[in-house]
Amino acid sequence: MSTEPDVREQTAREALHAVRDSLRDLIDDPDTPSTVRHALETEYTDLEALWQKLDSDELHVAVFGRVSVGKSSLLNALLADDAFATGPLHGVTTHADAHAWVRVGDSPVRVFDTPGIDEIDGETREQLARHVARRSDLVLFVCESDLTQLEQQALATLASTHRPLLLVLNKADRYTRGEREALLESLRRKAEGLVRPDHVLAAAADPRPEVVVRVTESGDEEEFERPRSPDIAALEQRIVDILQREGRVLAALNAGLFASEVSDAVAARVADIRRAAAKRVIRGYCLGKGLAVAVNPVPLTDLAAAAALDVSLVFHLSRIYGLPITRHEAGKLVAVISVQLAALMGAVWAVHAVSSLLKTVSAGLSVTVTALAQGSVAWYATYLIGEAATRYFVNGRSWGPGGPKRAVRDVLDLVDRDSILSEARRALAERLRGR
Ligand SMILES: Nc1nc2c(ncn2[C@@H]2O[C@H](COP(=O)(O)OP(=O)(O)OP(=O)(O)O)[C@@H](O)[C@H]2O)c(=O)[nH]1
Ligand SMILES: [Mg+2]
């Protein structure tokens, strides 16, 4: 008969495999540009490590805390081996390191040592906390007395990553039983809402030797030191319990959460890259069309003659956004946008543009003011068409609920006409002068 834990185990395992496969898909996604991979290098390294962790069925336990609180000593005590370097100087551990520990169920457990958090600035500390948490199924936050402000902040950052947390008061041998209880009480209070009260416990990873007084045969009292073994049994039991109870489920959940964070970050970067590419392409067409019109002035009302360039622009933009359309469709899109622009601005905008140009264009240019004015207006029109089409593609080839009218109006509201026109004037004048 299958028992409930079996079913849980089975479900967890399936969830884990599903997450593992989706991590692989995310890592190997051929649509992710290499520039994005490069920009998110740390995240991709973490994804790969996470994938390996899931694939090997490993569970990870990490320590975190201020320098010299005994993080490395604690892991050594768990391993019953001096695997990690320890010492009284601050900053003995300078980089993350890991060793294999016990097995919990079928899963090998690895423990991860980390450098102390005091010497680094707040932002880096936050990053380190997230980085550590990301790879861990359980984090041991180690302290040696009551929590400082800095420790409280770091603990809050870790807690926000929703990993199981144990708050360990190490060096318990330095306190009397009463002091220890009072400290644990205070730690539970300060960690309230961040760490469960029964997840706050004391340990002595590397207790100082006991000083014992012995009466010699001659009746004299003699002091000598008796080494003490680590006191970590309760902690060890709690760690194994947690890993056994929720290790696998949490591993899947956490990896899934991280993968969705990364895939959001990838999407945001891709959007940035597309936006930058769209901006470059729009500017190129603006310049091309502005020059064509300036060099060979056409009546302002007959800008349609140069519409072929606008069609090319929209065609090009559709490719940048990975939503390719035909030239015919691009032509229809330009027509829709132009109709809206004309309806919204009529002839007024052109007159506006020209008059503002006439006022500000400086004398002494080698081209006629009219040519520049017409070129700038053409530039501006192409700019608006490019921006409106971009909005349509960003929206997944849709104008959104308000239709093209609303979308084009929004574009007009957002665009700073005067700065576009003055940029057009500057760029066109420069090119025309150079001819
Ligand atoms: N009294 C006492 N001292 C301890 C205990 N655990 C560790 N220590 C001592 O504290 C000092 C620092 O220990 P480490 O394990 O190197 O501390 P750490 O947190 O890894 O330090 P960094 O790597 O420098 O951040 C060493 O001298 C240890 O012997 C303990 O339970 N009791
Ligand atoms: Mg250390």
Side-chain angles (χ1 to χ4, degrees), residues 71-72 85 92-93 113-114:
K71 301 179 294 300
S72 306
V92 174
T93 308
D113 198 8
T114 63

Side-chain angles (χ1 to χ4, degrees), residues 23-102:
L23 283 188
R24 198 69 256 164
D25 291 345
L26 181 58
I27 297 170
D28 295 339
D29 185 353
D31 289 338
T32 307
S34 58
T35 40
V36 172
R37 277 175 201 282
H38 196 67
L40 298 175
E41 205 177 337
T42 332
E43 281 80 359
Y44 272 92
T45 312
D46 281 355
L47 274 182
E48 190 64 50
L50 215 51
W51 180 84
Q52 256 155 26
K53 169 183 183 298
L54 291 182
D55 197 48
S56 62
D57 249 354
E58 275 180 4
L59 290 169
H60 290 179
V61 177
V63 286
F64 199 78
R66 280 177 33 227
V67 286
S68 237
V69 292
K71 301 179 294 300
S72 306
S73 303
L74 201 64
L75 295 184
N76 285 346
L78 290 172
L79 294 167
D81 184 14
D82 287 339
F84 299 102
T86 64
L89 296 177
H90 275 194
V92 174
T93 308
T94 52
H95 60 277
D97 192 10
H99 283 280
W101 186 35
V102 288

Side-chain angles (χ1 to χ4, degrees), residues 42-247:
T42 332
E43 281 80 359
Y44 272 92
T45 312
D46 281 355
L47 274 182
E48 190 64 50
L50 215 51
W51 180 84
Q52 256 155 26
K53 169 183 183 298
L54 291 182
D55 197 48
S56 62
D57 249 354
E58 275 180 4
L59 290 169
H60 290 179
V61 177
V63 286
F64 199 78
R66 280 177 33 227
V67 286
S68 237
V69 292
K71 301 179 294 300
S72 306
S73 303
L74 201 64
L75 295 184
N76 285 346
L78 290 172
L79 294 167
D81 184 14
D82 287 339
F84 299 102
T86 64
L89 296 177
H90 275 194
V92 174
T93 308
T94 52
H95 60 277
D97 192 10
H99 283 280
W101 186 35
V102 288
R103 293 181 82 86
V104 168
D106 291 340
S107 302
V109 181
R110 281 175 85 75
V111 291
F112 283 72
D113 198 8
T114 63
I117 56 172
D118 333 40
E119 323 260 287
I120 48 182
D121 65 77
E123 199 177 317
T124 320
R125 196 159 51 234
E126 286 234 340
Q127 272 173 5
L128 182 68
R130 289 185 201 289
H131 185 70
V132 168
R134 202 174 274 165
R135 294 163 171 240
S136 316
D137 300 292
L138 170 63
V139 180
L140 313 180
F141 191 99
V142 187
C143 63
E144 58 175 7
S145 58
D146 212 354
L147 287 185
T148 63
Q149 186 82 22
L150 179 142
E151 285 176 314
Q152 244 172 313
Q153 282 166 4
L155 192 64
T157 307
L158 277 178
S160 72
T161 65
H162 306 297
R163 263 68 178 172
L165 263 176
L166 283 178
L167 176 54
V168 185
L169 171 67
N170 189 34
K171 308 194 183 178
D173 58 297
R174 299 194 310 186
Y175 304 108
T176 64
R177 181 187 289 270
E179 287 168 341
R180 194 185 317 167
E181 287 314 312
L183 269 174
L184 285 173
E185 204 40 54
S186 169
L187 289 176
R188 287 189 181 115
R189 226 180 10 255
K190 287 191 175 167
E192 203 179 342
L194 305 176
V195 184
R196 285 166 44 165
D198 60 327
H199 281 186
V200 181
L201 61 176
D206 185 15
R208 296 297 88 123
E210 228 171 344
V211 178
V212 198
V213 180
R214 171 169 65 184
V215 181
T216 62
E217 280 173 11
S218 57
D220 295 332
E221 286 190 350
E222 186 183 81
E223 281 190 357
F224 74 102
E225 288 190 341
R226 190 160 57 199
R228 280 194 283 192
S229 36
D231 178 7
I232 51 147
L235 174 66
E236 188 167 355
Q237 188 56 51
R238 191 61 56 86
I239 295 173
V240 171
D241 283 350
I242 293 177
L243 292 179
Q244 219 145 29
R245 204 175 54 234
E246 40 199 355

